Amino acid sequence: MQEFSSSSSAPGGKTRIAYEEILNPQQYAAVSTTAPVALVIAGPGSGKTRILIHRVAWLLEKGVPQDSILLLTFTNKAAREMMNRVYELSGISADELQGGTFHSFGRRILQPHAELLGYGRDFLILDRSDARELITACLREANIETRGKVFPKPDVLLEMFSESLNLSMSLEEVIEKRHSTFWEKTDQVEEVYRAYTRRKFEQNRMDFDDLLSLPLRLFKEHPDILEYYQKRFSYILVDEYQDTNHTQNEFLELLAARSRGLMVVGDDAQSIYSWRGACFQNILEFTKRHPNARTYTVETNYRSSDPILKVANESISYNEKQFPKNLRAVSESIRKPTLISCGDGYAQAEWIAQEVRRLNLEGIPLREMGILYRAHHHAMELQMELRKSGIPFRISSGIRFFEQAHIKDVASILRLTYSPCDEVAFKRIIRKLPGVGVKSADRLWNAFAGRQWPESLSAGLDRVTPKIPTKARELWNIFCRTLKKVDPVFIPLSVPEMIDELLKGFGEDWMMAEYENAQTRLEEVEQLKIYSRQFEGLEDFLSEMALQTNMDGEQDGTEDEYADRLILSSIHQAKGLEYDAVFVMMLCEGMFPSFRSMEKSENLEEERRLFYVAVTRARKHLYLIYPRRRSLGGNFERQLPSRFIQELSPELFEIETHADTFIPYGDLRHSGTKRFLHTEEADEDDPF
């Protein structure tokens, strides 16, 4: 690659913008680099977007033609905003500058060259709904019924196909490593994929993943096309580089092979999306692939106070695979983050609600406070407490715990066991069967209820069985066997035992087939089972469920995002956001980090990066909270504090202990790999 210079690539001379005055030294070094390849490691709150905007303005002021600059981002909105800010900064219109997502840029490449791949130039893009319908047609063609017990639904198939492309794995490998439930169905899944690919081609249609894979194929099969785009885009800038997948990076490496100025900007310490295909190695090994690359580390943080950054810096230092960095604060504060130990999950929820009210009275708007957690079910008790306390809140994912479809499904089954005359619950369950729509559900309900309510759930099931459509019989028989096991008329079970029977009978296989994020959903049902242990009987449990939700299906939240509501969010959803006050809750071993992450060191390091992201969302106030136990209906399970807490120096925090036994934080740090908190009530050989 040729080095950028005024003589080789652009006119020299002074710039209109005083870059050295408005940028800090690290930002300026990155913006003004003449290196042909540059890796910018920009820590959280360090002005990553600012660097990209000023870099584009710098290139334009140096005379680089607009149409030779390409800016790749992860949202089209981000690209548009950057272009607007470039104009505001430089006064130079960037109308001809190419910017957008990898997928939108891929579409622009395909448009004039589609015929080389056998497509027409007037190809159409399938949205997810369209893709789902096309896969359904392929399933019918192959005479495969997906609403049975063991075959993945169209959404799950789409996830498999996407993973195969984005992870550079064969479909067989994807099924073996990520969807092993369907290993015996590999041949059929591959048959559906071939049919889906053929139908897309025949109908001149492409799905979202094709917008990456087909341009890559075009480049490989037509070197002249690749050369054209290599020469056209002399300067390529990539935002959020740590989030790129295998396909995106391969595409980028080909495109930038002749670039005069390739700049990738990201933060390895914020690489947290491996579960959706992001490849951490892309950024970690960038300088290995490009030995001539210059690395610029930007560490000045304009968001968080110094005490908060000390927590972030010490935590991430335990990761072995990283670019070392040390965030430095601009904002001065003597307020340390607070470490809070609470009795159990409910005490944790109560404490958070009280502290939120206190901060709100001090003048911090609710919308400037973020409650962050590893998984949505971690906030179940908190959602209940906030509702009870009258504190308005919004969940970033849009779905409250008790309003999720799979939770409502379990509730419907339990309602039907308690009251066989529950028409709403019956119809919700029966419509899960293949070939059963609204009219069929009405007919089957009439058979179930007859002219009088069935004397038991089992009696009603026997009534309706002869009326079940033939193609639904296999799944119905599994339903029936399981539902009869939880019929309280014949087999009195506790609520947790009932939920357990449902999971063992058909729930696990059904969820794996029904939902692309099945493992998360199963964990949430397990959490529901734990929650149910505090109730004396099914009636009490269902009554509380009714207070928490309604039965009208899973749907996105429509609340005004600008209303003054407390924000509840998974940490993944919160990346890129910031709040005056951040509460990171449920910091227990097995919950954060999750048990699954502890099996491999690379997974554990990603969990630590997730903790780092959570901590660095906070501007002024940071609270790290963990319960010492989880309530299990009169009993409790002891919880070990997260290793991400145990690793940190006690002097970094203000320590508070609430609701029962005092736990001295000084006992928290021990030599060796395991460190545990100790209670005064613990036995000598009790590690807690």
Side-chain angles (χ1 to χ4, degrees):
M1 294 183 182
Q2 188 176 355
E3 180 151 329
F4 173 88
S5 70
S6 60
S7 61
S8 65
S9 56
K14 295 182 179 180
T15 58
R16 187 180 64 83
I17 302 168
Y19 294 94
E20 280 190 275
E21 295 179 11
I22 61 178
L23 301 172
N24 68 45
Q26 290 181 332
Q27 292 173 335
Y28 178 73
V31 166
S32 62
T33 183
T34 61
V37 184
L39 169 65
V40 181
I41 303 296
S46 65
K48 169 178 62 63
T49 301
R50 183 177 178 85
I51 291 170
L52 284 167
I53 292 166
H54 285 77
R55 176 62 175 173
V56 173
W58 172 277
L59 293 174
L60 292 174
E61 284 206 297
K62 290 293 184 178
V64 175
Q66 290 186 31
D67 59 1
S68 69
I69 301 174
L70 174 64
L71 174 61
L72 294 172
T73 63
F74 271 78
T75 67
N76 286 314
K77 180 182 177 184
R80 287 193 300 270
E81 290 178 351
M82 286 187 194
M83 295 306 99
N84 290 334
R85 289 177 62 181
V86 167
Y87 174 73
E88 292 173 1
L89 177 68
S90 67
I92 301 174
S93 175
D95 293 339
E96 296 182 18
L97 191 146
Q98 296 290 307
T101 66
F102 280 88
H103 295 86
S104 64
F105 180 62
R107 181 190 62 79
R108 292 200 294 272
I109 289 177
L110 287 170
Q111 205 80 51
H113 306 295
E115 293 172 352
L116 294 173
L117 299 175
Y119 290 85
R121 292 191 179 188
D122 58 345
F123 65 83
L124 296 175
I125 308 297
L126 293 166
D127 61 21
R128 191 167 184 87
S129 176
D130 294 333
R132 191 187 302 117
E133 287 186 16
L134 192 59
I135 286 179
T136 301
C138 295
L139 290 164
R140 286 197 299 267
E141 178 186 284
N143 202 26
I144 298 173
E145 178 54 65
T146 68
R147 301 187 72 179
K149 180 184 177 186
V150 294
F151 203 84
K153 303 295 188 293
D155 278 331
V156 181
L157 289 168
L158 277 173
E159 181 185 28
M160 291 177 178
F161 302 163
S162 182
E163 288 173 342
S164 176
L165 287 169
N166 293 322
L167 298 174
S168 297
M169 297 166 60
S170 69
L171 196 52
E172 183 178 4
E173 288 177 300
V174 167
I175 296 171
E176 181 184 5
K177 294 179 180 180
R178 300 171 74 98
H179 302 271
S180 58
T181 300
F182 308 111
W183 173 246
E184 294 182 355
K185 302 294 183 181
T186 298
D187 290 344
Q188 287 180 296
V189 172
E190 289 179 335
E191 180 185 356
V192 175
Y193 179 65
R194 289 191 295 269
Y196 176 61
T197 303
R198 173 177 53 79
R199 282 185 175 239
K200 284 190 296 177
F201 183 76
E202 292 172 349
Q203 298 175 21
N204 199 33
R205 307 176 87 180
M206 301 177 187
D207 63 19
F208 195 62
D209 291 308
D210 290 329
L211 300 179
L212 283 178
S213 62
L214 290 177
L216 185 58
R217 180 185 149 197
L218 181 72
F219 284 174
K220 291 179 177 180
E221 294 180 0
H222 299 275
D224 57 322
I225 302 296
L226 172 60
E227 184 180 5
Y228 167 79
Y229 285 101
Q230 287 175 334
K231 289 181 177 179
R232 178 177 173 183
F233 296 108
S234 302
Y235 299 90
I236 302 173
L237 298 91
V238 183
D239 189 20
E240 301 287 4
Y241 182 65
Q242 78 280 346
D243 294 335
T244 54
N245 59 38
H246 286 278
T247 303
Q248 289 167 327
N249 195 59
E250 187 178 3
F251 175 83
L252 176 66
E253 293 286 348
L254 283 174
L255 183 63
R258 302 187 181 199
S259 170
R260 293 180 179 177
L262 169 63
M263 175 178 285
V264 299
V265 182
D267 183 8
D268 58 295
Q270 297 186 76
S271 179
I272 58 174
Y273 294 121
S274 65
W275 52 274
R276 70 182 190 192
C279 180
F280 179 60
Q281 301 302 319
N282 289 348
I283 190 168
L284 192 67
E285 298 179 355
F286 185 82
T287 54
K288 291 182 181 179
R289 297 192 306 274
H290 300 276
N292 62 332
R294 292 184 192 171
T295 301
Y296 299 89
T297 304
V298 186
E299 299 167 302
T300 302
N301 179 286
Y302 295 90
R303 175 188 301 157
S304 306
S305 65
D306 182 65
I308 292 172
L309 295 184
K310 285 180 178 177
V311 172
N313 287 331
E314 184 167 321
S315 176
I316 202 64
S317 70
Y318 283 88
N319 273 10
E320 295 182 2
K321 296 180 179 179
Q322 62 168 310
F323 291 97
K325 65 182 71 66
N326 186 56
L327 299 179
R328 300 184 297 271
V330 171
S331 172
E332 295 183 1
S333 174
I334 60 171
R335 179 185 174 89
K336 292 181 180 180
T338 307
L339 178 65
I340 304 99
S341 162
C342 296
D344 58 19
Y346 292 97
Q348 176 183 237
E350 290 175 358
W351 186 90
I352 291 173
Q354 291 172 5
E355 187 67 7
V356 164
R357 286 197 179 281
R358 187 187 71 78
L359 292 175
N360 191 228
L361 289 172
E362 289 185 356
I364 299 179
L366 293 175
R367 63 178 177 272
E368 290 296 337
M369 290 184 257
I371 316 296
L372 307 185
Y373 35 77
R374 173 64 180 81
H376 284 291
H377 64 80
H378 293 175
M380 183 180 63
E381 295 104 332
L382 179 62
Q383 291 183 35
M384 296 169 60
E385 178 63 28
L386 295 175
R387 184 188 63 80
K388 184 177 73 175
S389 303
I391 298 175
F393 66 95
R394 178 172 67 87
I395 300 178
S396 62
S397 65
I399 310 294
R400 302 191 181 201
F401 180 84
F402 292 99
E403 295 173 350
Q404 298 176 102
H406 55 293
I407 300 297
K408 289 187 173 184
D409 290 340
V410 173
S412 294
I413 295 172
L414 295 176
R415 285 173 52 185
L416 193 63
T417 64
Y418 179 74
S419 175
C421 61
D422 193 324
E423 181 178 357
V424 174
F426 175 86
K427 289 182 176 178
R428 183 179 180 95
I429 297 166
I430 209 72
R431 288 189 66 184
K432 300 292 182 183
L433 298 176
V436 177
V438 176
K439 292 183 179 180
S440 299
D442 288 338
R443 177 173 55 81
L444 293 171
W445 167 249
N446 290 332
F448 179 84
R451 295 188 177 182
Q452 59 182 13
W453 305 125
E455 57 273 24
S456 68
L457 173 62
S458 298
L461 296 174
D462 290 338
R463 284 185 194 175
V464 79
T465 293
K467 305 293 184 180
I468 296 295
T470 303
K471 64 178 172 181
R473 285 288 174 85
E474 181 182 354
L475 183 57
W476 174 252
N477 290 336
I478 297 170
F479 272 23
C480 265
R481 286 197 299 269
T482 304
L483 292 176
K484 287 181 177 182
K485 288 181 180 180
V486 297
D487 188 343
V489 173
F490 302 104
I491 307 173
L493 298 174
S494 67
V495 181
E497 289 173 331
M498 294 175 76
I499 295 174
D500 205 45
E501 285 292 338
L502 294 177
L503 285 172
K504 289 189 295 185
F506 63 84
E508 291 187 16
D509 287 341
W510 174 74
M511 282 198 189
M512 293 298 292
E514 185 82 12
Y515 300 111
E516 66 271 23
N517 55 344
Q519 194 58 52
T520 298
R521 305 234 183 192
L522 285 168
E523 290 174 2
E524 290 173 344
V525 175
E526 286 289 339
Q527 189 63 31
L528 182 71
K529 183 173 73 176
I530 293 173
Y531 166 68
S532 72
R533 294 177 184 174
Q534 65 187 289
F535 297 94
E536 292 185 4
L538 182 57
E539 182 180 5
D540 291 340
F541 176 69
L542 292 174
S543 296
E544 183 59 32
M545 287 280 290
L547 293 174
Q548 300 295 333
T549 189
N550 54 55
M551 299 296 294
D552 53 11
E554 181 171 351
Q555 52 188 319
D556 292 334
T558 57
E559 298 165 319
D560 181 3
E561 63 177 301
Y562 299 106
D564 193 25
R565 297 175 180 269
L566 183 67
I567 308 300
L568 274 60
S569 175
S570 70
I571 302 168
H572 288 100
Q573 291 276 346
K575 185 176 175 293
L577 303 177
E578 57 187 69
Y579 305 94
D580 281 347
V582 166
F583 300 74
V584 188
M585 60 180 296
M586 209 58 78
L587 281 163
C588 306
E589 284 287 285
M591 303 191 77
F592 192 9
S594 68
F595 279 122
R596 284 185 293 167
S597 71
M598 299 179 190
E599 298 174 358
K600 296 181 178 179
S601 60
E602 59 264 33
N603 294 342
L604 188 59
E605 290 210 348
E606 179 161 334
E607 289 283 288
R608 189 175 285 107
R609 294 195 295 269
L610 191 64
F611 178 73
Y612 178 85
V613 168
V615 168
T616 54
R617 298 313 92 195
R619 299 190 193 104
K620 302 175 183 177
H621 305 270
L622 174 65
Y623 303 89
L624 305 180
I625 317 158
Y626 65 93
R628 298 188 294 275
R629 62 191 185 193
R630 300 298 309 278
S631 297
L632 300 176
N635 299 314
F636 62 86
E637 279 186 359
R638 292 190 181 275
Q639 301 293 306
L640 301 178
S642 169
R643 67 188 63 197
F644 302 149
I645 294 175
Q646 298 183 54
E647 293 167 345
L648 300 173
S649 305
E651 57 267 22
L652 294 177
F653 300 99
E654 297 291 342
I655 313 299
E656 295 186 17
T657 304
H658 292 267
D660 24 39
T661 310
F662 174 72
I663 300 178
Y665 185 64
D667 291 342
L668 186 147
R669 294 179 60 84
H670 299 275
S671 59
T673 57
K674 292 186 178 181
R675 308 180 181 96
F676 304 108
L677 291 177
H678 295 272
T679 66
E680 292 181 348
E681 65 182 7
D683 297 331
E684 288 185 2
D685 56 353
D686 186 344
F688 196 79

